[in-house]
Amino acid sequence: MSSEASMSERRFYRNADRAMLGGVCAGIADYFGFNLCVTRVLAVIAFFTMPVTLLGYLALVLLVPSVSTRDNPRTVDPEFHRALRSSPSQTMGDLRSRFKSLDRRLARLEKYVTSSRYQLDREFDRLKD
């Protein structure tokens, strides 16, 4: 599955594994790639400055489904998933450079294996045995 497909198919869920009071802040942090502690601090500040936020939070607890990773383990590395959501262009750039590096290494290996030097090294190895 491509990263574009996984990004377009993402949905907002409450995170039951990292929940303190319903898992809404954990779900928001997962969805947007935010730090969970910062999200919780901002939610507490919003509760005290705007009491209507508390009603919104309670509505999210009641309306948004909860998901546990114990029931549905992720196949993608969570750190990669978080980095992709917070900075997709940088993450994809890092992946591109990694693949270019792997491609260069593979080209060197292929060049060596198809060379006469490889055959000569194999013959020397056979003589040692």
Side-chain angles (χ1 to χ4, degrees), residues 80 92-104:
F80 171 76
M92 296 312 277
D94 292 345
L95 279 175
R96 245 183 253 109
S97 67
R98 280 185 185 177
F99 280 120
K100 283 182 183 178
S101 170
L102 286 173
D103 192 40
R104 284 191 300 267

Side-chain angles (χ1 to χ4, degrees), residues 12 15 20 32 34 51 58 62 64 71 77 88 96-97 99 102-103 107-111 113 117 128:
F12 174 66
N15 188 330
M20 288 187 89
F32 291 108
F34 296 152
L58 292 175
L62 296 174
V64 175
D71 301 336
D77 180 26
R96 245 183 253 109
S97 67
F99 280 120
L102 286 173
D103 192 40
R108 283 196 317 259
L109 180 67
E110 188 176 351
K111 184 178 178 181
V113 168
R117 175 72 188 192
K128 288 180 186 177

